[in-house]
Amino acid sequence: MIDRPLVAFLDVNETLSDLDSLTPAFEAAGLNAADVYPWYLAVLRDGFAATVLGDCPRFADLGAQVAAARIRAVAEGLSDDEIATAAADLMSGFLRAQPHPDVVSGLVALADAGVRVVTLSNGSAAVARALFESTAAATVVEEYLSVDDAGAWKPSPVAYRHGLGWAGIDAADGLMVAVHPWDLEGARRVGLRTAWINRHGAVYPAGFTTPDIEATSFDDLARILTDGPTPQV
Amino acid sequence: MIDRPLVAFLDVNETLSDLDSLTPAFEAAGLNAADVYPWYLAVLRDGFAATVLGDCPRFADLGAQVAAARIRAVAEGLSDDEIATAAADLMSGFLRAQPHPDVVSGLVALADAGVRVVTLSNGSAAVARALFESTAAATVVEEYLSVDDAGAWKPSPVAYRHGLGWAGIDAADGLMVAVHPWDLEGARRVGLRTAWINRHGAVYPAGFTTPDIEATSFDDLARILTDGPTPQV
């Protein structure tokens, strides 16, 4: 049986939001669906590099910068101003990102199981909040936390301690939930328990510490925390 | 006039090596040309995340891990062993990477200008060395340094100080050369001067400090250090 955590801290980008839902915003900027994931990787690369150097940039600023470089590389004849505007428009598309289909029901089930639900994002609180606007999850998410208020991006320990401090709990009573091994590794280093959402049948990379829980969706996570893991046959 | 540095520290992956030359190794593993750059971005993401946590993984290990995940996602019916073998083969393809066309002549010209030439890579020394085997650059590169011996990846200050310590120079007498703004930013924080190789007419991202030198190639860099920058008209 798995001890139920007091608080589940949920990563936002790609864990809750479906990056594919950003495709229209990329297309409006003259890019395409194949640009979305490399863009996201490049934003994390630059954000983590900044974190190594002790900086804490805004996700939206890095996102616009990386998008502008890509738009410049593929667009013909756009002025600097037009590129900056297209990149800014692309980033405002983030406010129209959609959650994965398992997320709203899964978060409601987590809350029904008595777990406090809080998001903890390298992006802004506003983007996380917009994800659930006019959904049933809006009423069960207790708070939208951002590393903007922590002073360092995940996976810095500072970011997770910000969440723990806000929630007023010991690390062992918290569960970090993410699709990203790097996020769970950072959480584990401060003593949080970890749950990996593995929607696509991936194998957890050997270079990272095995998570405490593996679930195929948020619905599955809520079920595991209620009933225990499915026996391996 | 630009003071000539005593030592030029050269980034390796993408700065000296042409990532497109890795395509055959990716194709041999069942992947394709479009997988190369996202793979590289994901390796940097994971390497920088580890650096945030104080770890110093081997580039080749992360590279194999990221490649294995991608091979698993696209291949049908491969066993775990077959996936691991394909990923290992892909990584050994790194030893057959080719330098950009401007690199060998540019490094020879840098050395002719009296600048000591040293590589400083997040990857292994062996990969950097293999890049120049049986080229004229092999005789002008004084040493192939790797962060494996520093204990932290670039852009950690530790990595650049490893290079400075090896060379026995003050930071102000060294020049970091890279295509990557994150690398130049890290170098600048320890006092190195910086040169950006901009082969594709990009614009330096505003979130990073403007480099001391911008060059279109290593040939151009050698010329600038000899004759001074081209006047802006």
mmCIF file of all heavy atoms in Angstrom, chain B residues 175-195:
data_model
loop_
_atom_site.group_PDB
_atom_site.id
_atom_site.type_symbol
_atom_site.label_atom_id
_atom_site.label_comp_id
_atom_site.label_asym_id
_atom_site.label_seq_id
_atom_site.Cartn_x
_atom_site.Cartn_y
_atom_site.Cartn_z
ATOM 1 N N LEU B 175 39.935 33.472 -24.503
ATOM 2 C CA LEU B 175 38.768 33.755 -25.346
ATOM 3 C C LEU B 175 37.970 32.464 -25.496
ATOM 4 O O LEU B 175 38.508 31.450 -25.948
ATOM 5 C CB LEU B 175 39.237 34.232 -26.729
ATOM 6 C CG LEU B 175 38.135 34.547 -27.754
ATOM 7 C CD1 LEU B 175 37.395 35.832 -27.371
ATOM 8 C CD2 LEU B 175 38.738 34.675 -29.159
ATOM 9 N N MET B 176 36.708 32.484 -25.089
ATOM 10 C CA MET B 176 35.832 31.336 -25.313
ATOM 11 C C MET B 176 35.144 31.505 -26.660
ATOM 12 O O MET B 176 34.573 32.555 -26.932
ATOM 13 C CB MET B 176 34.795 31.210 -24.189
ATOM 14 C CG MET B 176 33.940 29.953 -24.266
ATOM 15 S SD MET B 176 34.877 28.451 -23.858
ATOM 16 C CE MET B 176 34.052 27.236 -24.911
ATOM 17 N N VAL B 177 35.185 30.465 -27.484
ATOM 18 C CA VAL B 177 34.614 30.525 -28.831
ATOM 19 C C VAL B 177 33.523 29.464 -28.950
ATOM 20 O O VAL B 177 33.778 28.283 -28.700
ATOM 21 C CB VAL B 177 35.687 30.279 -29.909
ATOM 22 C CG1 VAL B 177 35.104 30.519 -31.305
ATOM 23 C CG2 VAL B 177 36.916 31.147 -29.680
ATOM 24 N N ALA B 178 32.318 29.878 -29.317
ATOM 25 C CA ALA B 178 31.211 28.921 -29.402
ATOM 26 C C ALA B 178 30.108 29.463 -30.303
ATOM 27 O O ALA B 178 30.022 30.672 -30.535
ATOM 28 C CB ALA B 178 30.638 28.648 -28.008
ATOM 29 N N VAL B 179 29.279 28.570 -30.780
ATOM 30 C CA VAL B 179 28.043 28.978 -31.463
ATOM 31 C C VAL B 179 26.902 29.182 -30.472
ATOM 32 O O VAL B 179 25.845 29.683 -30.845
ATOM 33 C CB VAL B 179 27.593 27.935 -32.535
ATOM 34 C CG1 VAL B 179 28.640 27.815 -33.636
ATOM 35 C CG2 VAL B 179 27.282 26.573 -31.926
ATOM 36 N N HIS B 180 27.093 28.770 -29.209
ATOM 37 C CA HIS B 180 26.004 28.744 -28.237
ATOM 38 C C HIS B 180 26.073 29.912 -27.267
ATOM 39 O O HIS B 180 27.007 30.005 -26.474
ATOM 40 C CB HIS B 180 26.062 27.454 -27.409
ATOM 41 C CG HIS B 180 26.074 26.207 -28.232
ATOM 42 N ND1 HIS B 180 27.120 25.310 -28.216
ATOM 43 C CD2 HIS B 180 25.195 25.735 -29.124
ATOM 44 C CE1 HIS B 180 26.852 24.312 -29.056
ATOM 45 N NE2 HIS B 180 25.699 24.547 -29.620
ATOM 46 N N PRO B 181 25.057 30.770 -27.259
ATOM 47 C CA PRO B 181 25.037 31.859 -26.275
ATOM 48 C C PRO B 181 25.175 31.394 -24.827
ATOM 49 O O PRO B 181 25.845 32.043 -24.028
ATOM 50 C CB PRO B 181 23.673 32.525 -26.542
ATOM 51 C CG PRO B 181 23.454 32.316 -28.015
ATOM 52 C CD PRO B 181 23.983 30.923 -28.275
ATOM 53 N N TRP B 182 24.577 30.255 -24.458
ATOM 54 C CA TRP B 182 24.658 29.805 -23.069
ATOM 55 C C TRP B 182 26.113 29.526 -22.668
ATOM 56 O O TRP B 182 26.493 29.674 -21.509
ATOM 57 C CB TRP B 182 23.784 28.569 -22.814
ATOM 58 C CG TRP B 182 24.059 27.396 -23.719
ATOM 59 C CD1 TRP B 182 23.341 27.051 -24.835
ATOM 60 C CD2 TRP B 182 25.098 26.423 -23.590
ATOM 61 N NE1 TRP B 182 23.891 25.926 -25.411
ATOM 62 C CE2 TRP B 182 24.961 25.513 -24.673
ATOM 63 C CE3 TRP B 182 26.134 26.212 -22.672
ATOM 64 C CZ2 TRP B 182 25.831 24.428 -24.865
ATOM 65 C CZ3 TRP B 182 26.990 25.134 -22.858
ATOM 66 C CH2 TRP B 182 26.831 24.263 -23.941
ATOM 67 N N ASP B 183 26.923 29.102 -23.640
ATOM 68 C CA ASP B 183 28.320 28.780 -23.351
ATOM 69 C C ASP B 183 29.119 30.073 -23.141
ATOM 70 O O ASP B 183 29.911 30.203 -22.191
ATOM 71 C CB ASP B 183 28.888 27.976 -24.529
ATOM 72 C CG ASP B 183 30.138 27.197 -24.181
ATOM 73 O OD1 ASP B 183 30.704 27.394 -23.090
ATOM 74 O OD2 ASP B 183 30.560 26.378 -25.026
ATOM 75 N N LEU B 184 28.878 31.035 -24.010
ATOM 76 C CA LEU B 184 29.579 32.318 -23.891
ATOM 77 C C LEU B 184 29.168 33.041 -22.618
ATOM 78 O O LEU B 184 29.994 33.696 -21.966
ATOM 79 C CB LEU B 184 29.300 33.172 -25.121
ATOM 80 C CG LEU B 184 29.723 32.534 -26.451
ATOM 81 C CD1 LEU B 184 29.446 33.491 -27.600
ATOM 82 C CD2 LEU B 184 31.195 32.115 -26.432
ATOM 83 N N GLU B 185 27.906 32.896 -22.215
ATOM 84 C CA GLU B 185 27.432 33.539 -20.988
ATOM 85 C C GLU B 185 28.178 32.979 -19.772
ATOM 86 O O GLU B 185 28.617 33.730 -18.897
ATOM 87 C CB GLU B 185 25.924 33.335 -20.841
ATOM 88 C CG GLU B 185 25.291 34.144 -19.737
ATOM 89 C CD GLU B 185 25.275 35.656 -20.026
ATOM 90 O OE1 GLU B 185 25.338 36.054 -21.205
ATOM 91 O OE2 GLU B 185 25.228 36.421 -19.047
ATOM 92 N N GLY B 186 28.307 31.668 -19.737
ATOM 93 C CA GLY B 186 29.037 31.053 -18.625
ATOM 94 C C GLY B 186 30.491 31.502 -18.592
ATOM 95 O O GLY B 186 31.053 31.791 -17.517
ATOM 96 N N ALA B 187 31.117 31.557 -19.765
ATOM 97 C CA ALA B 187 32.521 31.967 -19.852
ATOM 98 C C ALA B 187 32.706 33.410 -19.364
ATOM 99 O O ALA B 187 33.649 33.722 -18.623
ATOM 100 C CB ALA B 187 32.997 31.834 -21.300
ATOM 101 N N ARG B 188 31.777 34.274 -19.794
ATOM 102 C CA ARG B 188 31.857 35.684 -19.419
ATOM 103 C C ARG B 188 31.781 35.866 -17.902
ATOM 104 O O ARG B 188 32.414 36.747 -17.330
ATOM 105 C CB ARG B 188 30.697 36.426 -20.081
ATOM 106 C CG ARG B 188 30.844 37.934 -20.146
ATOM 107 C CD ARG B 188 29.552 38.548 -20.619
ATOM 108 N NE ARG B 188 28.492 38.356 -19.658
ATOM 109 C CZ ARG B 188 28.298 39.097 -18.574
ATOM 110 N NH1 ARG B 188 29.097 40.103 -18.321
ATOM 111 N NH2 ARG B 188 27.310 38.841 -17.745
ATOM 112 N N ARG B 189 30.995 34.986 -17.236
ATOM 113 C CA ARG B 189 30.837 35.136 -15.785
ATOM 114 C C ARG B 189 32.131 34.883 -15.020
ATOM 115 O O ARG B 189 32.254 35.303 -13.874
ATOM 116 C CB ARG B 189 29.759 34.174 -15.257
ATOM 117 C CG ARG B 189 28.386 34.355 -15.879
ATOM 118 C CD ARG B 189 27.684 35.609 -15.425
ATOM 119 N NE ARG B 189 26.400 35.738 -16.116
ATOM 120 C CZ ARG B 189 25.221 35.396 -15.610
ATOM 121 N NH1 ARG B 189 25.147 34.897 -14.389
ATOM 122 N NH2 ARG B 189 24.111 35.544 -16.316
ATOM 123 N N VAL B 190 33.073 34.145 -15.631
ATOM 124 C CA VAL B 190 34.359 33.948 -14.949
ATOM 125 C C VAL B 190 35.417 34.914 -15.486
ATOM 126 O O VAL B 190 36.581 34.825 -15.100
ATOM 127 C CB VAL B 190 34.870 32.490 -15.043
ATOM 128 C CG1 VAL B 190 33.851 31.513 -14.486
ATOM 129 C CG2 VAL B 190 35.250 32.114 -16.472
ATOM 130 N N GLY B 191 35.037 35.804 -16.383
ATOM 131 C CA GLY B 191 35.974 36.831 -16.847
ATOM 132 C C GLY B 191 36.606 36.577 -18.190
ATOM 133 O O GLY B 191 37.434 37.369 -18.652
ATOM 134 N N LEU B 192 36.271 35.446 -18.829
ATOM 135 C CA LEU B 192 36.785 35.198 -20.183
ATOM 136 C C LEU B 192 36.159 36.176 -21.173
ATOM 137 O O LEU B 192 35.025 36.614 -21.008
ATOM 138 C CB LEU B 192 36.422 33.770 -20.616
ATOM 139 C CG LEU B 192 37.314 32.646 -20.102
ATOM 140 C CD1 LEU B 192 36.557 31.319 -20.142
ATOM 141 C CD2 LEU B 192 38.586 32.528 -20.950
ATOM 142 N N ARG B 193 36.896 36.496 -22.216
ATOM 143 C CA ARG B 193 36.278 37.184 -23.334
ATOM 144 C C ARG B 193 35.560 36.152 -24.205
ATOM 145 O O ARG B 193 35.758 34.938 -24.042
ATOM 146 C CB ARG B 193 37.336 37.967 -24.114
ATOM 147 C CG ARG B 193 37.785 39.198 -23.285
ATOM 148 C CD ARG B 193 38.799 40.030 -24.029
ATOM 149 N NE ARG B 193 40.064 39.335 -24.126
ATOM 150 C CZ ARG B 193 40.966 39.568 -25.082
ATOM 151 N NH1 ARG B 193 40.707 40.449 -26.033
ATOM 152 N NH2 ARG B 193 42.116 38.919 -25.081
ATOM 153 N N THR B 194 34.704 36.654 -25.086
ATOM 154 C CA THR B 194 33.819 35.729 -25.799
ATOM 155 C C THR B 194 33.762 36.046 -27.288
ATOM 156 O O THR B 194 33.749 37.209 -27.696
ATOM 157 C CB THR B 194 32.389 35.812 -25.227
ATOM 158 O OG1 THR B 194 31.920 37.165 -25.300
ATOM 159 C CG2 THR B 194 32.334 35.349 -23.777
ATOM 160 N N ALA B 195 33.720 34.978 -28.077
ATOM 161 C CA ALA B 195 33.548 35.123 -29.532
ATOM 162 C C ALA B 195 32.432 34.197 -29.983
ATOM 163 O O ALA B 195 32.461 32.987 -29.725
ATOM 164 C CB ALA B 195 34.841 34.787 -30.269
#
